[in-house]
Amino acid sequence: MGLTDVTDVRQGKIFHLQLKDGKKEQVETLAKEVLTNPVIEEYRIIWE
Amino acid sequence: MKFGVVVIPGCYCDHDCYYAIEKVTGKPVEFIWHEQTSVDGFDAIILPGGFAHGDYLRTGALAKFSPVMKAIRAFANMGGLVFGICNGFQILTEAGFLPGALMRNVGMKYVCKYLHLRTENAETPFTNTLSQGQLLYIPIGHGDGNYYADDETLMRIEGNGQVVFRYVDAQGQATPEANPNGSLNNIAGIVNEQGNVLGMMPHPDRSFEAILGSADGKLIFESMVNALVTK
């Protein structure tokens, strides 16, 4: 297609979490202990 | 001595394991429902194959939250024998009983076939009736059997005898062609440092009597009985 400007690509999973009353503490735990396997995955939390 | 076979929704090899143990060992065996909070009275616990919790999120990922896992962890810490087959192996890595992880097969296909394993450590409670280097003919059936561990972990488990079975060809060589799923170092089964928890992807519960195609799997169950008798 002639679109040659991309130098790298990654594919992953996105989990959209809806939080009660803006409670953020549990998100880190969820990310680390349920949503990812730290042996083979990393995570990033993006707050919206 | 009493064997227990854990029943988790989504797993279907529980009955195969129950029948295998009953037939091979003749010892008492009972099912353990995944919501039980006690495993008192058991000497060996099997985590059978299948698709626990539908493989939701990742294979074996959610089983660690089943109530029975807390009791199994305490059981393993006390030296009780825990044996995870296929999905059971995936559960054991996700729950942190064993190092590493099982990923999607490198060929991206579910592979179902008989193959050869080489015994790398004949001194575990699961292999004491085998000899070092002995070949076993055992079937696999999995889509996520690609064993991975980081370099440091890999070196450690290879160095201290935690690798118990390796995929090999009929001549006993661990070639790339003999590797059905891309596992590092053709690793098919490992134990924990203590040696009382084994996880393997192939199915001895499908190869314990000749009519199934191979009876080599029974040697593993017989080893477990041997280990418990001499405890």
Side-chain angles (χ1 to χ4, degrees):
Chain A
M1 289 175 72
L3 303 171
T4 53
D5 289 348
V6 180
T7 58
D8 188 28
V9 66
R10 301 181 72 143
Q11 186 179 3
K13 304 176 198 171
I14 298 180
F15 298 94
H16 286 283
L17 304 175
Q18 209 66 304
L19 304 178
K20 221 171 24 179
D21 306 330
K23 289 194 159 109
K24 294 185 167 188
E25 301 81 41
Q26 292 180 355
V27 177
E28 190 81 38
T29 309
L30 264 174
K32 246 199 295 253
E33 313 213 349
V34 185
L35 299 176
T36 65
N37 178 340
V39 177
I40 47 174
E41 295 171 322
E42 300 170 340
Y43 68 88
R44 249 186 333 142
I45 301 175
I46 300 172
W47 305 100
E48 281 172 18
Chain B
M1 70 179 75
K2 192 159 73 159
F3 284 78
V5 177
V6 181
V7 177
I8 306 180
C11 285
Y12 59 87
C13 301
D14 39 14
H15 283 265
D16 287 350
C17 288
Y18 187 104
Y19 178 68
I21 291 164
E22 198 178 48
K23 193 98 198 293
V24 172
T25 72
K27 300 295 177 193
V29 52
E30 271 176 34
F31 287 118
I32 303 175
W33 177 233
H34 80 120
E35 289 185 334
Q36 271 173 232
T37 50
S38 161
V39 296
D40 287 348
F42 291 99
D43 303 283
I45 294 178
I46 316 292
L47 285 163
F51 301 94
H53 306 294
D55 274 3
Y56 274 21
L57 198 60
R58 299 178 303 278
T59 65
L62 297 182
K64 70 178 182 238
F65 299 111
S66 280
V68 77
M69 289 308 284
K70 193 155 169 225
I72 296 180
R73 202 178 296 274
F75 173 83
N77 287 342
M78 297 287 290
L81 297 187
V82 178
F83 183 14
I85 301 173
C86 202
N87 192 216
F89 185 11
Q90 293 159 343
I91 291 171
L92 289 172
T93 57
E94 282 277 346
F97 285 66
L98 292 173
L102 281 322
M103 301 194 297
R104 180 62 44 88
N105 289 352
V106 72
M108 297 293 148
K109 288 192 176 159
Y110 189 96
V111 178
C112 185
K113 64 178 189 183
Y114 263 90
L115 44 67
H116 292 93
L117 301 178
R118 190 175 70 205
T119 308
E120 304 292 272
N121 183 344
E123 318 227 320
T124 75
F126 310 92
T127 50
N128 55 56
T129 61
L130 305 173
S131 50
Q132 191 72 17
Q134 182 169 349
L135 299 191
L136 302 177
Y137 192 52
I138 309 246
I140 58 165
H142 59 248
D144 302 273
N146 182 354
Y147 182 76
Y148 168 84
D150 60 37
D151 293 340
E152 191 245 309
T153 305
L154 200 60
M155 213 161 45
R156 191 179 69 238
I157 63 175
E158 289 281 8
N160 62 12
Q162 283 179 250
V163 176
V164 178
F165 295 116
R166 221 179 286 276
Y167 299 114
V168 294
D169 60 21
Q171 287 71 46
Q173 299 305 306
T175 62
E177 293 73 35
N179 189 332
N181 51 39
S183 289
L184 289 177
N185 296 1
N186 285 35
I187 289 172
I190 62 172
V191 286
N192 61 343
E193 259 181 60
Q194 232 182 309
N196 63 315
V197 177
L198 168 70
M200 66 190 285
M201 285 312 295
H203 280 269
D205 56 315
R206 292 180 189 168
S207 49
F208 61 90
E209 46 188 9
I211 196 173
L212 295 171
S214 169
D216 288 355
K218 75 174 180 12
L219 299 170
I220 298 174
F221 298 112
E222 284 172 353
S223 295
M224 292 174 76
V225 172
N226 210 23
L228 291 173
V229 160
T230 54
K231 237 181 185 194

